[in-house]
Amino acid sequence: MENLKKVHELLNECQTTPDKYFALKINEKGSSLVGITQAQINPFSALILKKEKKGVSIIGFFDNNKIKYSNIEDFSFNEEIVIAVDCRKNNKYKVFYRINNSSEDFIKISSKTEMTMDDSILIYWEDMQMSCMTFCSFDSERTEIIREVITANNEPVKRLLRGITREIISPYMSTN
């Protein structure tokens, strides 16, 4: 439950210190985002995709279309998915998430997290003004955990992030 406390602190910080943190919530009805601006944003695309050795899980919305898929045995999604990203230190981002009902605490991805070549996390959201892609994976060449957050408010880069995301999630969209 150590990470639960950190996530609650991040959620509070998102309300008061925009631009250093963001928190994304996804449920059956849609998504909400805090921390990018003073006001809450309701992205029309918001999702998290988790790949691991035993399978893939993805939940959220892409272009207002619901997506929910897992090929992991006995996997059940939380009713509300919460993702928090701490961007206070450049190149030392921390990502917290909880998508599985069997997890009581949040999973934290930092430079000390153990990941393999089979593990990756993609978090994507977009509204009318901005889009953001957060990607976490193991870089075997440098033997480090990659945690990159790319935000865009110009249309060419937003289209690029949307296209990359569509390409990654498209195999799972038809199986909904």
Side-chain angles (χ1 to χ4, degrees):
M1 298 306 241
E2 173 185 331
N3 292 331
L4 182 62
K5 182 179 177 186
K6 290 178 185 176
V7 169
H8 283 290
E9 289 170 7
L10 280 174
L11 291 173
N12 288 334
E13 289 293 327
C14 286
Q15 305 293 328
T16 59
T17 314
D19 220 23
K20 300 287 183 195
Y21 318 86
F22 71 84
L24 181 63
K25 294 181 181 181
I26 302 170
N27 60 36
E28 292 289 322
K29 294 181 173 93
S31 59
S32 62
L33 178 75
V34 293
I36 298 298
T37 65
Q38 291 290 347
Q40 177 178 300
I41 298 170
N42 295 330
F44 54 82
S45 290
L47 61 88
I48 182 169
L49 177 137
K50 180 180 181 182
K51 289 176 96 175
E52 52 191 309
K53 190 170 191 151
K54 57 186 174 181
V56 176
S57 299
I58 180 171
I59 189 166
F61 296 86
F62 190 75
D63 290 337
N64 285 319
N65 295 311
K66 188 173 160 183
I67 181 169
K68 186 175 182 180
Y69 170 83
S70 181
N71 63 359
I72 299 173
E73 191 175 323
D74 297 329
F75 187 92
S76 70
F77 290 100
N78 276 341
E79 286 186 31
E80 181 169 70
I81 310 305
V82 178
I83 304 154
V85 180
D86 181 346
C87 302
R88 285 179 294 181
K89 297 178 183 174
N90 283 344
N91 298 320
K92 295 186 183 202
Y93 305 134
K94 295 176 187 161
V95 177
F96 299 86
Y97 68 94
R98 182 172 61 192
I99 62 174
N100 188 342
N101 265 341
S102 67
S103 300
E104 287 187 28
D105 199 7
F106 281 79
I107 295 170
K108 175 183 173 184
I109 300 176
S110 69
S111 60
K112 297 174 185 162
T113 303
E114 290 186 29
M115 294 178 85
T116 69
M117 293 292 294
D118 297 317
D119 302 327
S120 63
I121 300 284
L122 171 74
I123 301 161
Y124 175 78
W125 61 263
E126 180 179 6
D127 75 344
M128 296 305 287
Q129 272 78 48
M130 290 185 78
S131 66
C132 177
M133 176 187 286
T134 303
F135 184 75
C136 305
S137 181
F138 178 70
D139 181 347
S140 63
E141 191 69 29
R142 295 185 177 147
T143 61
E144 66 182 9
I145 305 301
I146 299 169
R147 298 162 329 279
E148 294 297 335
V149 178
I150 304 165
T151 57
N153 60 6
N154 64 49
E155 202 53 42
V157 181
K158 285 173 59 176
R159 280 194 307 266
L160 175 65
L161 295 178
R162 187 180 319 115
I164 291 169
T165 302
R166 182 180 287 112
E167 189 65 28
I168 292 169
I169 69 170
S170 62
Y172 314 108
M173 292 191 69
S174 61
T175 58
N176 264 338

